[in-house]
């Protein structure tokens, strides 16, 4: 359900932009590009999820162990990736 609500939220954002004269399908702005990509990715994911019944999904949950890899190697890799990010403080001017 959260993914469906997220998809509806994206659709509302697109609708509000359209109401204000921004055509998300043709606009080259970063926001429009993000919304286009995101709504397509979520739609594709939801379509793939619909291939299975709820019984198949819940039957597979017994094998689900979580979303995060807690191994020391994974933690070190994540820390390394975060250190490479070009981060700035919220107080810095854009």
């Amino acid at each position: 359900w959260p993914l469906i609500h997220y998809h509806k939220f994206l659709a509302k954002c697109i609708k509000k932009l359209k109401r204000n004269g921004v055509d998300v399908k043709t606009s080259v702005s970063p926001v429009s590009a993000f919304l286009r990509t995101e709504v397509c990715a979520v739609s594709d994911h939801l379509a793939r999820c619909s291939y299975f019944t709820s019984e198949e999904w819940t039957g597979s949950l017994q094998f689900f162990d979580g979303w995060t890899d807690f191994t020391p190697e994974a933690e070190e890799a994540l820390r390394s990736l975060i250190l490479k990010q070009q981060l700035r403080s919220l107080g810095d001017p854009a």
Side-chain angles (χ1 to χ4, degrees):
W1 289 109
L3 201 54
I4 292 171
H5 290 294
Y6 180 57
H7 191 271
K8 287 181 180 181
F9 169 74
L10 293 172
K12 282 182 184 179
C13 292
I14 291 170
K15 192 179 282 187
K16 284 185 180 185
L17 285 171
K18 189 173 187 175
R19 208 176 304 136
N20 288 301
V22 177
D23 185 5
V24 174
K25 292 180 184 177
T26 58
S27 175
V28 294
S29 79
V31 171
S32 294
F34 169 78
L35 287 171
R36 267 195 315 269
T37 305
E38 194 72 358
V39 80
C40 288
V42 171
S43 294
D44 292 346
H45 184 75
L46 288 170
R48 284 191 297 274
C49 290
S50 68
Y51 293 153
F52 307 99
T53 66
S54 61
E55 291 80 19
E56 290 172 316
W57 277 110
T58 53
S60 297
L61 286 177
Q62 63 182 333
F63 304 109
F64 182 71
D65 192 30
W67 299 106
T68 307
D69 184 355
F70 292 104
T71 62
E73 296 83 13
E75 183 178 345
E76 184 58 38
L78 185 58
R79 287 181 188 276
S80 173
L81 289 170
I82 291 170
L83 285 172
K84 292 178 185 177
Q85 298 296 312
Q86 299 289 328
L87 303 176
R88 61 180 175 82
S89 115
L90 290 174
D92 290 348

